[in-house]
Amino acid sequence: MNNIKLNGVVKTEPTFSHSSKGEDFFKFELEVIRKSCNSDILNCVIPSCYADRVKVDDSVELDGEIRTRNELIDEKTGKTRLIVYIFVKEVNEFIGYHDNDAVIYGYICKKPVYRTTYSGREICDLIIASNRASGRSDY
């Protein structure tokens, strides 16, 4: 299981990303506010059937999945970087505040690393492999 529910503000218009299995997909950025009042800009990918529901400065609620893909950054060395994005399955007008929520079931791939930041915040870094029904995995 890999589900995420977010509320945020659309920061960029959807632009064409790619086609897959005869369907077009669009990408856009969503600003999401943390409990600390800081914000994150998240990359989102949305099927064409929902793209017209997403406009700059709209407040929206999104349901979807956290997904990953490798992007080639150096052809000579073959070096890649992991791109993390939200695959949007449903988009609704923002009705009222709710906590942003992510639930991921999967397999821990590396030993978790527990650390404390300079400000005293405790963090545990880990990599989880979450399998999709298609047989692919997201990390």
Side-chain angles (χ1 to χ4, degrees):
M1 175 192 286
N2 174 349
N3 293 315
I4 189 164
K5 185 169 185 162
L6 299 169
N7 61 65
V9 176
V10 177
K11 299 311 280 182
T12 60
E13 288 291 336
T15 58
F16 180 77
S17 172
H18 67 282
S19 292
S20 178
K21 300 179 182 175
E23 186 171 14
D24 292 338
F25 295 88
F26 293 80
K27 60 185 176 181
F28 67 96
E29 293 178 342
L30 183 74
E31 180 179 33
V32 176
I33 306 298
R34 297 182 188 186
K35 286 184 178 181
S36 65
C37 295
N38 292 321
S39 65
D40 293 305
I41 302 294
L42 303 180
N43 296 313
C44 299
V45 173
I46 191 167
S48 60
C49 61
Y50 294 129
D52 62 339
R53 295 187 191 181
V54 177
K55 305 283 186 227
V56 171
D57 295 328
D58 280 356
S59 293
V60 294
E61 291 182 349
L62 303 179
D63 291 316
E65 296 178 347
I66 299 171
R67 291 203 177 168
T68 59
R69 66 180 170 82
N70 285 311
E71 180 179 87
L72 184 64
I73 58 172
D74 188 340
E75 288 187 30
K76 290 182 182 179
T77 63
K79 187 174 181 176
T80 61
R81 67 177 174 168
L82 187 67
I83 304 294
V84 179
Y85 63 95
I86 306 304
F87 181 78
V88 179
K89 292 185 169 184
E90 187 176 328
V91 59
N92 295 299
E93 181 181 348
F94 179 72
I95 297 170
Y97 180 80
H98 66 77
D99 286 337
N100 296 319
D101 186 46
V103 177
I104 301 172
Y105 291 128
Y107 301 93
I108 297 176
C109 298
K110 290 172 64 174
K111 183 178 178 183
V113 176
Y114 173 80
R115 61 189 174 92
T116 304
T117 66
Y118 292 114
S119 64
R121 185 172 203 161
E122 297 175 88
I123 295 175
C124 184
D125 297 317
L126 57 124
I127 297 175
I128 298 174
S130 178
N131 298 327
R132 293 189 213 165
S134 66
R136 297 182 114 178
S137 295
D138 294 297
Y139 297 90

